Structure formats: C-alpha cells, structure tokens
Amino acid sequence: MASVNSLSASIQQRVADALGADPLLRRSDRADFQANGVLGLAKRNKQNPRELAAQVVEALPAGDELIAAVEVSGPGFLNITVSDAAITRTLAARAADGRLGVPVKPEPGTTVIDYAQPNVAKEMHVGHLRSSVIGDALVKILEFEGETVIRRHHIGDWGTQFGMLIQYLVEHPHELDHGASEAGEEAGEASMSRLNRLYKASRTVFDSDEEFKTRSRKRVVDLQAGDPETLAMWQRFVDESKIYFNSVYDKLDIEIRDEDVVGESGYNDMLVETCKLLEESGVAVRSNGALCVFFDDVKGKDGEPVPLIVQKADGGFGYAATDLSAIRDRTADLHADTLLYVVDSRQALHFKMVFETAKRAGWLTDEVTALHIPFGTLLGKDGKPYKTRSGETFRLVDLLDEAVERAATVIREKSSELTDEEVADRAKEVGIGAIKYADLSTSLGRDYVFDLDRMVSLNGDTSVYLQYAYARNRSILRKAGDAKPVAHPELPLAPAERALGLLLDEFAETLAGVSETYEPHKLASYLYALASAYTTFFDQCPVLKAETPELRENRLFLCDLTARTLRQGMALLGIRTPERL
C-alpha cells in the first residue's frame, strides 16, 4: 500500500501552495496546528505580516475537506483546525495499512551497529544493560524503516588475560567439564560458575608461582601467533561464555545470533596491516617506540598532546588498532554507509580520535557516517553508580531476576484470578519491559536512577502503564461481541477523540524522527502520550455503551488502532504487550 500522508504533511502542502513558501508547521495548544513563516516572508517582501496572513487564508481552497478553520494570530501566525472527517479518514487509511502508514525509506542504506559488548570469561554486569537495550531498539526501528542493518557484538575475546586462563586449562584439562549437561538458564549459570572458578584458580596460581606466570606469558605469544592447541583452548572459553551470554540475553528478551558476534579476535589478522598503512601514510608516527596519532585539540592537564596509541612500544596492539581495523572491514567489506557505536559516554574521546584517524587514512569518507551513540550511567537511589550493598558491581542476571520477582508481586496484588503459571509469564513480560522502558525513556546522554518500585508502578511514565492501557484496550475489543471497529468520517469527534486521533496520526513522523537522530526515548515519550490520551478517551467516551451503533463502531475503531499502534511501537522498543494483565 502507498504511504499514508499525515495530517501535518497535507496541511503543510496546502499552506505552502497558498503562501508560495514552505511554512514551519507545529502542533499548538491554540489549535490543532500553527503555521509560521508568514512573518519572515512579509519582512523579505516588505509587507504587513497580518495582511499577508489574511491573503494566505483567502488563497486556501474554499470548502476544503481537510481544514475546518484558520485564524490569524499575533504577527501573522496561522492557527489551523483540522476537520473531524479528515482525522477519521486519515486514521482509516493508516488502519488499512499493515505498517500503520509508516513508509519504507525510499533509498535505504546499510548500517552497521556495534552494541552489546560483553567480555569472554567474565560475568555481565549492569554496565552491559544500556548498550544491549538501546542497541536492540535501534536495530528494530531502523529495520522497520527499511534500512539494511548488520549487527556487530564486539565482545572482549582477546588479550593478555587469556594466556593465564589457557595455560591453567592446559595444565588442568577437565576444569571446564563439570556440570556441562544442564540446559537453558541453568546451563548459563553453570557455565559462568565454571568460568569464575577457573579464573579464580588460575589467578591464585599466577600470583604465587613465577614459573606459571612465565608459562602464561609465553602462552599469550602462542595465542597471537595462532598456535593450534592454544587456539583450541581459547575457543573453549569463547564457547563456554556464549552459553552464558545466551542465557542472560534470553532473560532480557534480546536475540543475539552467533553470526553477529565478531569480537576483538575477528580483526586480529588485520592489525599489522592497519598499523603499516597508518605509518606509511604519515597518519601515525613513532613516539617513544609506540605508534601514535596526534591531534591539535587533544591535550592533557599539563598541556602536552595526548595521542591515540595504535601500537604499544612493546609491540602489543591497543583498542584503537582493533577499532580502526573494524572500520576498514565495515566500510570496505560490508559496504556500510553508516556506522553506529552504542557505547557509554566515557568513551567519547576515544571514538572522536578513532574516527578522525580513520578519516585521515581515507577509511571514512564523506559517503560514510560514523557516530558514537553515548549513554549515561545507571545510578542507585543514592545518586551513585548502581552497586551491591558490599560495593561490588551488580550482576545483570540478578537485576533481571529481581525485576521479574517485583513484577510478580504487583501482578498478584492486582490480578488475584491469575494462575501461578500466568503470573510467572506476565511477570517476565512486565519486569523485563519495566527495565527496558526505564532505560529507553531516558534521553541517551543522561544518567538515571534505577528504582524498581517506580518502574513496576501502574501509575506514571512506566512500561506497566502502557501495557495496562493496551490490555484494557484489548479487553474492550473482546467484550464488543458482534460489534466491529469501523471508521465513520461523517461523525463529529469529541475533544478526547480528536486528541487521541491526532496523536495516532503522528506515529510515522515520530518513527522517522527517531531513525534520523537515533534517540529511542522520543518513541517512548510518544507511546506514553498515546497511552495517556487513550486513558482520557476511555474515561470520557463510552465505547460499548455509546449512544448509537455507528458511534460504538467508530470508538471501537479508535480503540483498535490505538492497540495496534501501542503494540507496534512497544515491539520496536523490545517490550512485550500482554493481552491480559
């Protein structure tokens, strides 16, 4: 189906035709829309702005089915009221489209998005939450808009610590064999238990036995050289960690596919060539034995330049070498025209220097956009980074379990008729949704306080509020019996119906804005506004007891389109919408 023109787009075209220039159109509390632009045009033409505004009103089509009224306000503002029939007809067109009127990009590109970056042989903590949730939402939104999206999970699977772990496993070959028969979440917990046990044991020996320390360091060299036995041991750590990663992401309701996991090791074969190309081109220079890239605007507290170190003086490679090699791969081999990195805000300077280096080297051209999507920190109620009572970083799996348990308590209190199995299912959808929504409803750069009591509340800006609005909506539709949702453009709309209808019409424009700026909180804000408008509509406009069959059908139509829009919008945020709550 062809894309559905929004009311604002249609009005903008009408006014542009009458004005002879594009107006700035926005929603207004004085009318449905306010058109600016008359004042600027009047100044350029040395005209009286109110007189010009009156001429524009006269030039608008008489008896127009779209615009019900236009009022000139202030120095030439046009306050525009849309006709009730136009609202209903436009919504009917959206309802007839499986995509709810959201167009596919006319010229979609290819985006590589780097997110969800856990470390091999280490437990995932709360620091991994935001990258995973934000990245997953951006993937869903961009794909829905028609973009080709390539996921990249840049896991930490390379480095000196693996020498210690591998050497210990060589000398204790059965250390990872215990408890390998579990399935599902139990397998993930058992996997991490084995990895933790092995890490602690190897660290104890490493710190106390100089000969073992020497053997471990030699093992790092073997790993980097591609020794088959060492690589096989390393692969066991990776495989064991993936079992754990998958169990955590299953709880978080995020899909992580094996083909999308390309860690630091995936670029190992490119590192030497990357350094060679940078040095031969003069982009990087040797400084005290290290290969460095310098920048005029990056200096330390002492005023001395702070370089991007691509290769250390001892020959080891830093994160910059891996990130630069990844850029080469993603642009040359994957043919991406957009690179997104969903990484916390503390890495802003690193990415600034990496992107600038890649531009100097010619790996990032004007045809490729590289963006760091930074996010703030998850805080406790004390305003400090979220920690356990003992001061340790909170395990992500514990956070998720606690959210589900808290949600189960709320659901039992509100819905005593549900079975234990139904409570468990709803608790997962509500608890995980609560965590995701709290994250995604926060603008990216801001820190936010992790408060489970607030997150699982039925009141306020929470996912539970949205889920409850959806479930109540579906309940009405189930109770409607033979009455069907049917749009009736001939019927006048009550204020609450108009407000809901105008918001429903903004869905496509909201998504377009989110995909343009990569800010999922704008979609969350829209969905909260939509749920709030629906709640007002529900309170003020009887649906099943409407005065006439036609009015009942029209209100059921508004209910149905609201439900579909909430479900689609929340799905793009990675949040489930229970049919009953």
Side-chain angles (χ1 to χ4, degrees):
M1 178 176 174
S3 61
V4 180
N5 280 338
S6 67
L7 291 167
S8 61
S10 299
I11 291 171
Q12 180 140 2
Q13 187 60 55
R14 292 278 205 287
V15 177
D17 291 343
L19 182 62
D22 279 333
L24 176 62
L25 197 72
R26 62 182 179 85
R27 291 293 303 274
S28 172
D29 56 2
R30 297 177 180 273
D32 294 331
F33 297 94
Q34 186 175 83
N36 303 339
V38 174
L39 182 59
L41 185 61
K43 284 184 177 179
R44 289 196 297 274
N45 295 339
K46 297 181 179 179
Q47 292 178 270
N48 181 295
R50 286 189 64 86
E51 291 179 0
L52 178 58
Q55 293 173 21
V56 173
V57 174
E58 286 294 320
L60 289 171
D64 186 61
E65 294 183 351
L66 175 64
I67 299 175
V70 184
E71 178 188 56
V72 178
S73 172
F77 297 126
L78 300 177
N79 290 333
I80 302 169
T81 300
V82 183
S83 72
D84 290 347
I87 293 174
T88 305
R89 278 197 303 269
T90 300
L91 296 184
R94 291 198 178 282
D97 179 17
R99 294 178 53 82
L100 300 175
V102 179
V104 174
K105 283 184 178 179
E107 296 180 2
T110 298
T111 294
V112 173
I113 179 165
D114 189 324
Y115 69 107
Q117 306 105 353
N119 294 308
V120 165
K122 289 186 179 180
E123 266 190 307
M124 293 176 65
H125 53 77
V126 294
H128 294 110
L129 176 66
R130 299 209 70 186
S131 174
S132 302
V133 170
I134 295 167
D136 184 57
L138 288 176
V139 166
K140 287 179 165 65
I141 292 166
L142 292 173
E143 286 186 333
F144 189 68
E145 292 271 293
E147 186 81 354
T148 297
V149 180
I150 300 173
R151 304 159 174 82
R152 278 294 174 264
H153 306 303
H154 193 85
I155 63 173
D157 64 351
W158 206 247
T160 55
Q161 69 167 351
F162 287 99
M164 175 187 77
L165 291 167
I166 294 168
Q167 187 59 37
Y168 189 84
L169 189 59
V170 168
E171 297 176 13
H172 303 81
H174 302 297
E175 191 66 29
L176 287 180
D177 293 341
H178 308 296
S181 61
E182 299 90 343
E185 293 178 6
E186 293 79 8
E189 287 292 321
S191 174
M192 183 43 60
S193 176
R194 291 191 291 273
L195 290 168
N196 274 338
R197 184 174 62 246
L198 189 143
Y199 182 86
K200 290 177 181 178
S202 63
R203 170 56 70 179
T204 298
V205 178
F206 187 86
D207 291 340
S208 62
D209 187 336
E210 287 298 321
E211 291 184 359
F212 176 78
K213 185 179 293 187
T214 299
R215 294 195 299 274
S216 297
R217 287 172 175 163
K218 182 180 181 301
R219 187 63 66 173
V220 174
V221 177
D222 294 340
L223 177 63
Q224 293 174 340
D227 173 65
E229 180 193 25
T230 303
L231 282 176
M233 292 289 186
W234 167 82
Q235 189 64 52
R236 289 193 66 186
F237 284 107
V238 174
D239 294 341
E240 193 78 20
S241 296
K242 282 183 178 179
I243 296 172
Y244 165 68
F245 296 158
N246 288 334
S247 72
V248 176
Y249 281 116
D250 281 347
K251 285 192 175 195
L252 195 51
D253 198 16
I254 289 177
E255 181 187 26
I256 300 292
R257 304 178 307 193
D258 279 352
E259 61 265 32
D260 302 327
V261 178
V262 183
E264 296 168 359
S265 63
Y267 308 101
N268 189 55
D269 293 342
M270 300 176 67
L271 300 182
V272 172
E273 184 181 32
T274 294
C275 291
K276 180 182 177 182
L277 292 171
L278 290 172
E279 189 168 14
E280 288 180 348
S281 64
V283 172
V285 296
R286 293 286 171 182
S287 177
N288 296 322
L291 185 62
C292 304
V293 182
F294 290 91
F295 308 86
D296 293 337
D297 59 342
V298 182
K299 295 182 180 180
K301 294 180 180 179
D302 57 2
E304 292 297 314
V306 176
L308 179 70
I309 300 176
V310 184
Q311 187 176 27
K312 303 171 187 176
D314 63 4
F317 299 101
Y319 291 122
T322 304
D323 286 333
L324 288 165
S325 297
I327 288 175
R328 290 176 55 207
D329 172 69
R330 293 169 185 182
T331 54
D333 296 333
L334 300 180
H335 308 293
D337 41 51
T338 303
L339 306 178
L340 302 180
Y341 295 79
V342 186
V343 183
D344 76 74
S345 55
R346 292 172 297 178
Q347 301 298 318
L349 179 58
H350 170 78
F351 281 110
K352 176 184 176 181
M353 293 193 291
V354 165
F355 294 161
E356 176 59 30
T357 299
K359 288 177 183 176
R360 293 181 188 179
W363 303 328
L364 280 180
T365 64
D366 292 340
E367 286 72 43
V368 181
T369 299
L371 289 175
H372 173 209
I373 310 293
F375 53 82
T377 303
L378 190 148
L379 305 175
K381 292 182 182 180
D382 58 0
K384 297 178 181 178
Y386 200 69
K387 303 279 188 180
T388 64
R389 290 181 179 179
S390 62
E392 298 176 354
T393 302
F394 217 106
R395 296 196 321 161
L396 180 54
V397 69
D398 291 338
L399 195 78
L400 302 179
D401 288 343
E402 185 177 347
V404 172
E405 289 172 10
R406 196 72 59 89
T409 300
V410 172
I411 291 169
R412 285 193 186 96
E413 292 174 354
K414 299 293 182 182
S415 305
S416 57
E417 74 281 1
L418 295 179
T419 66
D420 289 344
E421 184 178 355
E422 288 173 327
V423 169
D425 290 341
R426 300 292 185 278
K428 290 178 182 178
E429 295 173 326
V430 171
I432 300 304
I435 286 180
K436 288 184 176 183
Y437 186 82
D439 198 307
L440 294 168
S441 61
T442 304
S443 58
L444 290 175
R446 286 180 52 205
D447 300 337
Y448 76 96
V449 174
F450 190 87
D451 182 350
L452 271 177
D453 290 330
R454 182 186 64 80
M455 290 178 185
V456 299
S457 172
L458 285 169
N459 301 311
D461 188 4
T462 67
S463 69
V464 191
Y465 178 76
L466 272 65
Q467 289 170 323
Y468 184 70
Y470 174 81
R472 183 165 60 175
N473 188 323
R474 298 298 295 167
S475 175
I476 291 174
L477 292 166
R478 285 192 298 271
K479 293 175 181 177
D482 293 335
K484 302 300 180 185
V486 180
H488 286 276
E490 74 279 5
L491 294 178
L493 296 176
E497 292 174 306
R498 287 181 58 84
L500 179 60
L502 288 168
L503 263 176
L504 285 167
D505 186 55
E506 292 180 14
F507 184 53
E509 290 177 335
T510 299
L511 284 181
V514 172
S515 64
E516 182 178 345
T517 62
Y518 308 113
E519 294 176 296
H521 76 272
K522 293 180 178 178
L523 175 56
S525 296
Y526 167 80
L527 294 173
Y528 175 62
L530 182 62
S532 299
Y534 176 76
T535 299
T536 301
F537 159 80
F538 178 81
D539 291 340
Q540 297 181 5
C541 302
V543 178
L544 300 181
K545 295 183 179 180
E547 291 88 343
T548 67
E550 292 79 15
L551 185 56
R552 180 168 62 250
E553 288 177 343
N554 201 58
R555 288 178 177 173
L556 283 171
F557 162 73
L558 288 173
C559 287
D560 184 56
L561 185 56
T562 299
R564 290 172 59 193
T565 305
L566 283 173
R567 183 175 64 236
Q568 180 64 76
M570 293 178 75
L572 293 175
L573 294 179
I575 299 173
R576 303 277 179 174
T577 43
E579 294 292 308
R580 292 178 172 84
L581 194 60

